[in-house]
Amino acid sequence: LCLSEAKGMDISMEKVVTFQNIKKEFSGVCVLEDVNLDIYAGEVLALVGENGAGKSTLMKILSGVYEPTSGKIFLSGKEVKFEKALDALDGGISMIHQELMPVMDMTVAENIFLGREPQKKVRGFVSRKKMYQESDLVSEEFGLTFSSQKKMKDLSIAQRQMVEIARGISRNARVIIMDEPTSALSDRESLMLFEQISKLKKKGIAIIFISHKMDEIFTIADRIAVLRDGKMVHAGKREEYTEDILISQMVGRELNTVFPPAKTVPGDVLLRVENLELKDTLMNISFEVRSGEIFGIAGLMGSGRSEIVESIFGLRKGACMTLYKKGKKIQIHNPGQAIKQGIAFVPEDRKVVGLNLSATVKENMSMAALKQNYSKRGFLHLRKESEECEKQIERMRIKTTGPAQKVKNLSGGNQQKIVIARWLITDCDIFFLDDPTRGIDVMAKAEIYALIRELAAMGKAIVLISSEMPEIIGLCDRAMVMCEGRKTGELGKNELEQEAIMKLASGL
């Protein structure tokens, strides 16, 4: 059942935003060309397309981050020109970014009211009492279960995401842009967000919803607009689309096989973990992974999935366990030792943990193998480094101007490919992949799925953590299920079904 139908609502025909012939160039490269689109009051418009299609660029133009090279924007029929983000906010445009931007040492309340703090009667002084009272009201309405006086650095990624969404919703905007708002949310938290969206629609607020999750798009959207290679392909009512039609419009061709078939039979045990413990987080976790095997770790948000691989990789201090690689006992106390043991780690949060955003493509790719592959007597073999980087760009189909491009200017899918390529350059034989397709488009997902299968065919052992159950079912040979820090079961390939996973994930 679609949300708009469930609430018995009709879309208003009042145009809130009109894009007219929008064009945007960066250094002579056209990223948006002749984009025309209307957005109506009280509707949810799903804006979809591959990473790099121009979705975020178009929304940054609307929110005042970028100025268009040419074209016009109309707000309720009146032409507007936003020279900065504050102008867009004053005009009633609020954007909730995919990549979180909290002030980590500030509290939840301070982040929600950042830049618009309630003032005392004496000008220039913040009324902290009023700020926390109003923040508590926002938190209560939005269903936040943690204190508004808690610092952002003490929250999980999902909790930070909820605060970012609450901040955007609390601005009394006419248009709210949500860029991958559920990427770090559990199913329960996503449903809470959808309830908030329903309330916003009743108030006549327009929602622009960017997502790569097909089930969300067909649940939440009233209309769908598809961008491809910077051009508007089609915008129409949700009823005009099926999943196949939508994917075809996004990638320009049919995508018949999302999950490629297995190519190998798992071999000998490559990694064995015994009695992994982490205070107040993990209890007596044991499992093994074979060469050529894709081993899944499933569970709800907060079940301890990420903490398992972080502990093994040496990122969690105080973790206790016994590790064996190829039957030989090993010890890992930090990431450097893990890398020496041939273990690769693709983290859940690529922006904060996985990448140096101010560095180049080449620097990010080669950083884990500088000493091993490119250094001799203290000197770097720059040509060899560049050649390997070019090889990985071609192999991974990374859309970039070249090895010297800054990583911060690439799309999320291409950034994730760079994180994976870094480990392909090293001689790792065990890959920990923590939500490797989070926030990337359907085509980039298919490419990463194919790469995971390719790694398994090479005899690598893959440990795959995923928030998306179809990935666990479609890719994994076996899967361990977690609930509240405990292993509640292990399922073979023929047992991997949604109902069985959810029962174990719920502790039933």
Side-chain angles (χ1 to χ4, degrees):
L1 186 66
C2 295
L3 188 65
S4 56
E5 292 172 352
K7 301 301 179 183
M9 295 177 59
D10 295 320
I11 300 171
S12 165
M13 293 309 293
E14 177 196 349
K15 289 182 185 178
V16 182
V17 176
T18 296
F19 292 103
Q20 189 178 93
N21 304 119
I22 295 295
K23 183 177 182 180
K24 180 62 180 175
E25 294 181 345
F26 291 105
S27 303
V29 178
C30 186
V31 295
L32 287 173
E33 184 177 352
D34 197 31
V35 173
N36 294 281
L37 180 64
D38 295 320
I39 298 160
Y40 298 92
E43 76 162 343
V44 177
L45 175 76
L47 184 61
V48 302
E50 293 186 80
N51 282 341
K55 305 184 302 296
S56 294
T57 300
L58 185 63
M59 292 301 101
K60 285 177 180 178
I61 289 172
L62 179 58
S63 59
V65 177
Y66 297 149
E67 289 186 43
T69 304
S70 62
K72 297 178 181 180
I73 299 175
F74 296 88
L75 197 59
S76 295
K78 182 180 178 181
E79 185 179 355
V80 293
K81 291 184 179 180
F82 299 136
E83 295 181 357
K84 54 185 183 295
L86 188 59
D87 293 341
L89 277 173
D90 292 340
I93 310 294
S94 179
M95 183 165 182
I96 302 164
H97 294 269
Q98 175 187 358
E99 306 300 343
L100 307 184
M101 299 181 291
V103 182
M104 302 298 279
D105 285 318
M106 285 187 173
T107 64
V108 169
E110 289 168 335
N111 271 269
I112 288 176
F113 288 95
L114 190 63
R116 55 190 183 97
E117 295 85 353
Q119 302 290 307
K120 290 184 177 180
K121 290 182 180 179
V122 180
R123 286 176 63 86
F125 289 88
V126 175
S127 174
R128 300 187 68 80
K129 181 179 179 181
K130 187 177 180 182
M131 181 174 66
Y132 282 106
Q133 285 176 342
E134 292 186 11
S135 179
D136 286 339
L137 290 175
V138 172
S139 297
E140 183 179 349
E141 181 181 356
F142 197 61
L144 303 184
T145 57
F146 41 88
S147 170
S148 61
Q149 298 189 37
K150 201 167 185 177
K151 289 195 173 183
M152 294 294 285
K153 65 183 180 182
D154 297 324
L155 302 181
S156 68
I157 292 175
Q159 289 172 328
R160 292 174 198 162
Q161 182 82 300
M162 296 289 277
V163 174
E164 287 283 299
I165 294 168
R167 177 168 66 179
I169 288 175
S170 69
R171 291 182 183 274
N172 297 318
R174 299 161 67 187
V175 179
I176 299 178
I177 305 162
M178 298 186 177
D179 192 353
E180 294 284 350
T182 65
S183 60
L185 302 186
S186 67
D187 290 343
R188 183 182 65 82
E189 291 164 336
S190 294
L191 286 174
M192 289 168 54
L193 173 61
F194 292 167
E195 289 174 5
Q196 290 299 319
I197 289 174
S198 177
K199 293 177 184 177
L200 294 169
K201 285 178 57 176
K202 287 180 179 178
K203 295 177 182 178
I205 295 169
I207 310 293
I208 303 173
F209 193 89
I210 301 175
S211 178
H212 296 303
K213 298 180 179 179
M214 292 292 168
D215 56 340
E216 287 185 354
I217 292 168
F218 284 98
T219 296
I220 198 77
D222 297 297
R223 289 193 305 131
I224 299 173
V226 183
L227 275 171
R228 185 173 75 236
D229 297 330
K231 298 177 182 178
M232 184 60 63
V233 176
H234 183 70
K237 293 182 179 180
R238 182 198 62 248
E239 292 81 6
E240 298 176 24
Y241 288 91
T242 64
E243 189 169 317
D244 288 341
I245 291 172
L246 186 54
I247 290 172
S248 179
Q249 288 189 0
M250 287 168 62
V251 303
R253 61 186 184 278
E254 291 185 10
L255 196 63
N256 296 320
T257 307
V258 178
F259 297 108
K263 299 177 181 178
T264 56
V265 176
D268 296 331
V269 174
L270 193 51
L271 177 71
R272 188 162 85 249
V273 182
E274 292 183 352
N275 306 317
L276 169 56
E277 299 267 351
L278 182 62
K279 187 179 179 182
D280 300 326
T281 306
L282 298 173
M283 288 144 278
N284 193 28
I285 308 296
S286 297
F287 64 94
E288 61 185 32
V289 191
R290 298 175 177 273
S291 65
E293 180 179 39
I294 302 172
F295 179 79
I297 301 180
L300 302 176
M301 198 73 68
S303 62
R305 303 172 313 181
S306 296
E307 287 81 355
I308 291 174
V309 294
E310 289 171 358
S311 296
I312 299 169
F313 197 70
L315 290 169
R316 293 275 177 168
K317 301 302 178 186
C320 299
M321 74 201 88
T322 304
L323 292 176
Y324 296 90
K325 184 180 178 186
K326 296 181 180 178
K328 182 180 178 182
K329 190 174 181 180
I330 61 171
Q331 289 191 335
I332 296 174
H333 300 292
N334 55 61
Q337 291 177 342
I339 294 169
K340 285 182 180 178
Q341 291 292 342
I343 299 176
F345 177 47
V346 176
E348 177 183 22
D349 194 333
R350 59 179 172 268
K351 293 277 189 179
V352 175
V353 184
L355 292 165
N356 178 355
L357 294 177
S358 61
T360 64
V361 171
K362 181 177 73 173
E363 289 165 342
N364 272 278
M365 273 193 192
S366 64
M367 62 172 60
L370 277 178
K371 188 174 180 180
Q372 175 187 338
N373 292 7
Y374 311 118
S375 179
K376 188 174 183 181
R377 299 193 182 114
F379 292 92
L380 285 178
H381 197 315
L382 296 177
R383 192 173 76 175
K384 183 180 178 182
E385 182 188 14
S386 295
E387 287 173 352
E388 182 61 40
C389 180
E390 292 276 12
K391 179 181 174 183
Q392 294 301 331
I393 288 173
E394 184 177 352
R395 177 186 182 183
M396 300 285 289
R397 298 179 185 175
I398 298 170
K399 294 179 181 178
T400 173
T401 57
Q405 186 175 11
K406 298 285 187 184
V407 165
K408 65 183 178 183
N409 296 325
L410 299 181
S411 67
N414 287 303
Q415 288 176 345
Q416 187 70 305
K417 289 180 183 180
I418 288 169
V419 179
I420 296 173
R422 174 190 304 155
W423 298 112
L424 297 179
I425 293 172
T426 67
D427 194 27
C428 291
D429 51 8
I430 299 169
F431 282 73
F432 292 159
L433 308 178
D434 192 353
D435 252 339
T437 64
R438 175 179 170 241
I440 65 175
D441 63 70
V442 64
M443 192 63 202
K445 281 185 178 183
E447 291 174 348
I448 288 177
Y449 296 155
L451 177 63
I452 291 171
R453 283 285 190 221
E454 183 183 334
L455 291 172
M458 293 164 60
K460 313 290 186 182
I462 314 295
V463 178
L464 174 66
I465 297 170
S466 179
S467 301
E468 298 189 32
M469 210 173 296
E471 289 186 352
I472 296 291
I473 296 170
L475 279 175
C476 295
D477 300 295
R478 286 184 301 129
M480 173 174 71
V481 187
M482 298 289 298
C483 178
E484 297 180 348
R486 291 183 170 85
K487 175 181 176 179
T488 51
E490 197 172 292
L491 301 171
K493 181 67 178 176
N494 295 330
E495 301 171 301
L496 286 174
E497 296 177 351
Q498 186 164 330
E499 185 177 349
I501 293 172
M502 283 306 301
K503 279 185 177 180
L504 291 172
S506 304
L508 300 177

